[in-house]
Amino acid sequence: TSPTSSGIKQSTGGLIENKRKRSLLSSMEDFTAYQMTNTFEVRSPYYFWNQLENILGATFRADVKFMKLTKDRMGCVIDVPSKYEEFIDDTWCDSNKSHAF
């Protein structure tokens, strides 16, 4: 297959398929998975929900559809609509306690 600039791949057999972004966490289309880490263990995901709202705003937090704590409870993975990628890059600031990547 050969990639095109529009994200559509055409196979040598003439079939065309549209490759849309999917989250690695939930496989939802047009979502991106982000991981947040922390320097201490948290009891519940509410700490990270509050971090999202404080740093990126209530509108952003409302659009996040899924959050899963990591096994060590020192981080989480979230599903964010792909439309926010540039906003996150421009807005997110790591602190001494938490990081996003």
Side-chain angles (χ1 to χ4, degrees), residues 73-85:
R73 303 182 75 77
M74 293 179 67
C76 71
V77 180
I78 58 174
D79 270 345
V80 178
S82 296
K83 67 181 182 180
Y84 284 111
E85 286 179 14

Side-chain angles (χ1 to χ4, degrees), residues 38-67:
N38 208 14
T39 57
F40 54 90
E41 187 176 316
V42 298
R43 292 187 217 185
S44 75
Y46 293 110
Y47 172 82
F48 292 106
W49 286 116
N50 289 334
Q51 285 281 90
L52 287 174
E53 189 167 338
N54 290 338
I55 296 170
L56 300 172
T59 302
F60 175 84
R61 185 204 185 280
D63 282 347
V64 173
K65 297 298 180 203
F66 190 75
M67 179 184 287

